[in-house]
Amino acid sequence: MLRLPCMDKAVQLTGLTQPELVSFVETLGEPAYRGRQLFAALQHRRLRSFEEMTDLPKERRARLNEAGNASTLKIESRYVSADGTRRYLMKTHDNRPVETVFIPEERRDTICFSSQSGCPLQCTFCLTAQLGLLRNLTAGEIVEQIIVALNDAYGDGVKTPRGTNLVGMGAGEPFLNFDALLKAIRIVGDPDGLHIVPNRVTVSTAGIAPRIRELATIADRPHLAISLAAPTDELRNELMPINKKWPLDELLDACKEFEKSLKPGERFTFEYVLLKDVNDSDEQARQLANLLNRHSLRAKVNLIPHNPAEPLPYQPSSEGRVESFREILESKGVHAFVRKPRGRDILAACGQLAARSTSPVSIQQQPR
Ligand code: SAH
């Protein structure tokens, strides 16, 4: 019998919803309950190989293994920051880098996943931009990142102690891989699987206006964050060239539309990376507040001090500058918070994901 190379024929099973997995096993002549059993093995017990699924008869496992992959990402390195943040550098079956960050926090831990390998956007302050777009990740690859991070952080298949939040703020532009993103969110929300509901998920966009409008129409949608980085089109065109396609007025109109879909108590967030002497002046703080107020947006602003990395041509603003910027926003009625950088020493912080090696390297405790 001709045997095709594994990835050409096999389905990525972590990218199937529970009903899809049931149909998948049925095409192999298995009963529906096997599909549910398999879903639980992959998504609830977080098993990454068929060998571990000892509750399935051996010859059935072999058969499933021929038709589908229980996991596809290979963990290359695992970096641990002094602040406890972990970065996983993985490779897809076709050797594309995928990075995921686990951020331990006092109340609830956060996993930051990537939606693309590399990124096609050319934001000048972000290291990922230097990779260019390698390719979109599949829904299965997005889900798998979360499985890997959970297993490593809490133990294989161990229930998360305090629940976990997800943020789509890793490499890539999630809204340029919209279908896979939404599918992954549906899969991780399944109560029989990882059970991380959309209310625990935030996706961040550089401003793909039509997708913001589309997200607003989805009933079970995640929370939204929008990366601004500049209060005027002139500066934003320079820092985030995507602005030439969807300038601020168009972007903020889409946000206004999105605002109508907010649930009571829910708010959306603007992210604003602070670059020393570029976008951090008092005048720019006033311009930003006026811009948001002009569009009567009741969003909050997260100020992110720039995470420097060679060869990015920027420096973080001083603490005093950040504080002054924040106070001006607040004085004009715009709620602003300063985000604490996490995992800078291992290039795990916002904008630092570019598949680089750093020390301290720790691959002894390889998650499977
Ligand atoms: N493409 C999406 C998601 C990835 S970026 C987006 O643009 O929103 C996640 C966040 O990191 C964005 O808010 C981005 O502006 C910010 N960021 C990028 N590079 C950064 C850097 N060097 N320092 C601090 N924040 C950065």
Side-chain angles (χ1 to χ4, degrees):
M1 196 179 91
L2 178 71
R3 291 186 67 93
L4 297 167
C6 181
M7 280 312 300
D8 286 348
K9 63 175 176 70
V11 180
Q12 284 178 4
L13 300 181
T14 51
L16 300 186
T17 60
Q18 191 165 195
E20 284 174 345
L21 204 51
V22 167
S23 308
F24 168 79
V25 300
E26 283 175 343
T27 62
L28 300 173
E30 298 280 344
Y33 78 85
R34 276 270 187 258
R36 292 192 288 273
Q37 200 179 0
L38 186 54
F39 188 82
L42 295 166
Q43 307 278 355
H44 184 71
R45 299 163 65 203
R46 307 196 300 257
L47 300 177
R48 304 197 66 232
S49 74
F50 285 105
E51 291 96 80
E52 296 165 279
M53 301 180 195
T54 48
D55 54 331
L56 293 172
K58 209 167 178 184
E59 87 285 357
R60 292 273 154 60
R61 278 188 263 157
R63 182 119 175 262
L64 289 168
N65 197 17
E66 278 196 1
N69 285 307
S71 60
T72 62
L73 295 180
K74 201 171 123 253
I75 300 148
E76 290 237 320
S77 316
R78 169 181 178 271
Y79 304 97
V80 183
S81 161
D83 71 17
T85 300
R86 300 170 184 207
R87 174 167 69 99
Y88 309 97
L89 171 58
M90 299 178 261
K91 285 282 167 73
T92 60
H93 66 88
D94 54 346
N95 217 28
R96 305 298 195 191
V98 177
E99 285 169 292
T100 312
V101 179
F102 175 84
I103 308 148
E105 278 163 314
E106 242 163 64
R107 287 182 50 220
R108 179 162 287 148
D109 302 329
T110 300
I111 295 171
C112 176
F113 65 86
S114 295
S115 52
Q116 299 181 311
S117 180
C119 185
L121 305 184
Q122 294 173 324
C123 306
T124 55
F125 46 83
C126 179
L127 205 59
T128 312
Q130 314 224 337
L131 294 175
L133 176 67
L134 300 170
R135 72 162 167 80
N136 274 341
L137 298 180
T138 61
E141 287 161 346
I142 295 175
V143 173
E144 238 190 284
Q145 293 175 54
I146 297 154
I147 292 175
V148 166
L150 288 172
N151 280 351
D152 182 61
Y154 305 117
D156 290 350
V158 175
K159 194 172 179 312
T160 59
R162 297 163 290 181
T164 317
N165 288 334
L166 297 183
V167 293
M169 297 187 185
E173 168 49 47
F175 282 9
L176 293 179
N177 189 15
F178 201 58
D179 293 345
L181 172 82
L182 291 184
K183 186 162 190 203
I185 291 172
R186 255 201 339 273
I187 295 170
V188 302
D190 192 320
D192 295 332
L194 296 174
H195 200 183
I196 304 175
V197 295
N199 196 30
R200 290 267 182 82
V201 184
T202 302
V203 287
S204 177
T205 179
I208 315 295
R211 295 288 90 77
I212 294 174
R213 292 177 188 276
E214 196 177 338
L215 189 72
T217 66
I218 296 170
D220 235 356
R221 60 156 178 77
H223 300 291
L224 178 66
I226 295 132
S227 303
L228 275 186
T232 62
D233 278 323
E234 196 188 357
L235 182 59
R236 200 165 187 267
N237 284 343
E238 212 179 285
L239 300 178
M240 300 180 71
I242 189 74
N243 191 67
K244 293 178 196 153
K245 195 154 182 190
W246 291 290
L248 281 168
D249 268 345
E250 219 171 297
L251 174 59
L252 297 181
D253 280 351
C255 292
K256 194 68 202 157
E257 188 63 33
F258 185 84
E259 202 173 53
K260 295 184 193 149
S261 77
L262 294 178
K263 301 184 183 68
E266 184 190 5
R267 273 205 267 177
F268 64 93
T269 312
F270 288 109
E271 317 265 20
Y272 192 99
V273 51
L274 281 167
L275 310 166
K276 184 178 180 192
D277 298 335
V278 174
N279 67 356
D280 66 347
S281 70
D282 286 352
E283 173 60 15
Q284 285 160 323
R286 281 189 287 273
Q287 286 175 331
L288 177 60
N290 292 343
L291 177 73
L292 299 182
N293 288 335
R294 201 162 58 240
H295 285 261
S296 48
L297 285 161
R298 282 188 44 259
K300 64 170 181 169
V301 175
N302 271 339
L303 298 171
I304 315 178
H306 174 62
N307 296 306
E310 280 288 323
L312 299 177
Y314 303 104
Q315 291 305 315
S317 314
S318 71
E319 257 177 55
R321 188 90 296 279
V322 173
E323 192 42 33
S324 162
F325 199 94
R326 192 191 66 79
E327 277 170 13
I328 290 171
L329 292 179
E330 287 281 349
S331 74
K332 289 177 162 284
V334 175
H335 288 302
F337 302 85
V338 179
R339 281 249 298 260
K340 205 168 128 206
R342 298 292 303 266
R344 265 185 183 169
D345 55 338
I346 55 162
L347 294 180
C350 292
Q352 292 187 315
L353 299 183
R356 290 209 181 151
S357 300
T358 48
S359 60
V361 182
S362 153
I363 48 175
Q364 306 93 303
Q365 271 188 309
Q366 270 262 26
R368 276 169 300 152

